[in-house]
Amino acid sequence: MDPLLLGLIVGLFTVAMLFSGIPIAFGLCFTSLVFLFLAEGFQILNVYAETFYAGLNSFVLLSIPMFILMGMAVANSPAGKDLYTGLDRWLWRLPGGLVVSNIGACSIFAALSGSSPATCAAIGTMGIPEMRKRGYSAELATGCIAAGGTLGVLIPPSIVLIVYGLATGTSIGRLFLCGVIPGLLLAGLFMLWAYIYSYFIDKSYAERARNRIPPTFKEKVEVIPRVFPFLAIVVGVLYVLYGGIATPSEASGVGAFLVFVMIAVVYKIYQPKKIWDIVKVSMKESVMIMFIIAGSYIFAFSLSSLYVTQSIAQTIVEMGLNKWLLFFYINIFLLIAGFFLPPVAVIVMTSAILLPIITEFGFDPYWFAIVFTINMEIGLITPPVGLNLYIIKGITPDVSLNQILRGSIPFMVMMMICIVILCIFPELVTWLPDKLMGKDAGF
């Protein structure tokens, strides 16, 4: 059978499996088993088991449960509340300052937790009611948190970037550095929209800020000692990572340990039941991601064995498309995939096919990783899957999904503008890793 036709059949079968409600990992494994068995017979079973094991037989994979554990510990502490309160007290005079404070808190909390849902839940629980109480519309209040929460998949340490690095064989440390400037740029664009809306579109926000009783200097600085240790841990983890002192797995393990020490010292969270609850939730999420990675490894192996991956890449190259037109089509494809699947699933299912095509057309694989990730961020705030939308809905049951989506749309536009900026100035992605690690360095 023609490999392209076979690839189409495999793709349709995979989509049908995933829409059946079966867990993503099991759907990928079953699809791979069916087509490998039809092509190779019973002898493929031994290779199948070995390939599944090979997908998990990586020391770098240890960084995933450790970073998840680190993020869950922070998410289950009052650190998010302190972040929000501190930023609100410093930015109260700025038009739209409360929205800017929430986005800033999301950015910092994203770096602490590495999790988009955790960021939405931690900051939104406090921020949305406070914004609405002070007169901000339900759309703006919910939309800014839904979008701000997505920064957790871009700002390091990011679980999504770790999975991308494992799926493509690229350097995780370099990917983390690549995400720093785009993450700050995207947060800045979100804040810019909040300022424009509050200053030019609805000036009543600025008026309310002027009428607010200003916080005292004591109130401004009193939360800093509680938040600073957690920020120091993130900076420390990144320092030992890029200073060549530790591998990503070692740095994540030390970071998780130190966060547990900090929540015990700063917030008095040391009861065995609370610690066990954090470990239990972290374990569930880690096992889910590990199974998806193993399933994707088999899925990629099956596509390669059936010569599907190579045929698609060769066909696209031979079509002679303009590289930017191709890039536009790939972005549309990623956006649509992100509407229906979580970021980890999209990465592990498509990266094996897309990476050879991207590199063949001269695009930098690390630059593409960041653009890929921003596309996945958009998917987090778009239905039908849109995980962040449902988290915000759970926080604000009186606000409809339609209102939350309307509030998120301007921030989606900012994400698209960010992609355009990165296309015009790719150095925003590559400059920092090239400066600190050299152009060919990686780990």
Side-chain angles (χ1 to χ4, degrees), residues 94-97 99-101 103-104 107 140 144 184-201 410-411 413-414 417-418 421:
L94 184 71
V99 181
V100 172
S101 300
I103 295 171
S107 304
L140 181 60
C144 77
L184 296 176
L185 171 64
L186 192 54
L189 288 172
F190 289 169
M191 293 178 182
L192 177 63
W193 167 249
Y195 179 82
I196 291 172
Y197 189 94
S198 302
Y199 194 79
F200 295 102
I201 299 177
F411 296 98
V413 174
M414 291 297 158
I417 291 173
C418 185
I421 293 173

Side-chain angles (χ1 to χ4, degrees), residues 50-342:
E50 292 172 2
T51 305
F52 186 90
Y53 173 76
L56 296 175
N57 187 25
S58 171
F59 184 69
V60 179
L61 276 174
L62 287 175
S63 62
I64 293 179
M66 289 297 99
F67 277 128
I68 290 175
L69 189 61
M70 177 178 167
M72 287 299 175
V74 174
N76 284 273
S77 74
K81 178 181 179 181
D82 288 339
L83 269 173
Y84 164 74
T85 302
L87 286 171
D88 176 43
R89 289 173 182 175
W90 282 97
L91 299 173
W92 69 275
R93 190 182 295 274
L94 184 71
L98 192 56
V99 181
V100 172
S101 300
N102 276 277
I103 295 171
C106 286
S107 304
I108 299 172
F109 197 85
L112 290 172
S113 68
S115 168
S116 179
T119 302
C120 273
I123 306 301
T125 301
M126 299 156 295
I128 294 174
E130 189 67 21
M131 282 187 282
R132 297 180 69 190
K133 185 173 73 174
R134 296 191 191 174
Y136 289 88
S137 66
E139 288 87 351
L140 181 60
T142 55
C144 77
I145 297 294
T150 67
L151 295 169
V153 305
L154 184 58
I155 297 176
S158 162
I159 302 300
V160 169
L161 289 179
I162 293 174
V163 173
Y164 182 92
L166 292 168
T168 59
T170 47
S171 161
I172 293 173
R174 195 176 188 87
L175 285 170
F176 279 1
L177 282 178
C178 287
V180 172
I181 294 178
L184 296 176
L185 171 64
L186 192 54
L189 288 172
F190 289 169
M191 293 178 182
L192 177 63
W193 167 249
Y195 179 82
I196 291 172
Y197 189 94
S198 302
Y199 194 79
F200 295 102
I201 299 177
D202 190 339
K203 297 183 180 181
S204 63
Y205 296 135
E207 183 64 30
R208 281 192 289 271
R210 283 193 292 269
N211 295 332
R212 179 181 170 185
I213 299 174
T216 65
F217 182 75
K218 179 183 177 182
E219 289 174 330
K220 288 183 178 181
V221 300
E222 66 181 2
V223 297
I224 294 177
R226 296 199 295 272
V227 174
F228 181 76
F230 294 97
L231 298 178
I233 289 174
V234 172
V235 173
V237 166
L238 296 178
Y239 172 75
V240 298
L241 197 59
Y242 302 117
I245 300 172
T247 65
S249 302
E250 294 165 345
S252 63
V254 173
F257 173 75
L258 291 178
V259 164
F260 271 93
V261 172
M262 284 298 101
I263 64 172
V265 172
V266 177
Y267 297 113
K268 312 302 179 186
I269 299 176
Y270 45 74
Q271 297 85 350
K273 184 181 184 305
K274 290 185 177 179
I275 298 298
W276 172 243
D277 288 341
I278 294 171
V279 172
K280 184 168 61 175
V281 173
S282 302
M283 190 183 304
K284 286 182 179 179
E285 187 165 342
S286 299
V287 170
M288 176 194 69
I289 292 177
M290 293 291 196
F291 261 93
I292 291 176
I293 290 173
S296 71
Y297 203 83
I298 291 178
F299 188 72
F301 171 77
S302 67
L303 291 179
S304 179
S305 298
L306 299 172
Y307 207 69
V308 172
T309 305
Q310 300 90 323
S311 296
I312 292 175
Q314 182 180 348
T315 301
I316 291 177
V317 170
E318 290 175 351
M319 288 172 66
L321 291 175
N322 176 279
K323 61 182 291 187
W324 291 108
L325 182 62
L326 171 71
F327 178 74
F328 175 77
Y329 290 151
I330 289 176
N331 273 271
I332 297 299
F333 167 74
L334 292 175
L335 280 173
I336 295 172
F339 291 166
F340 300 98
L341 293 170

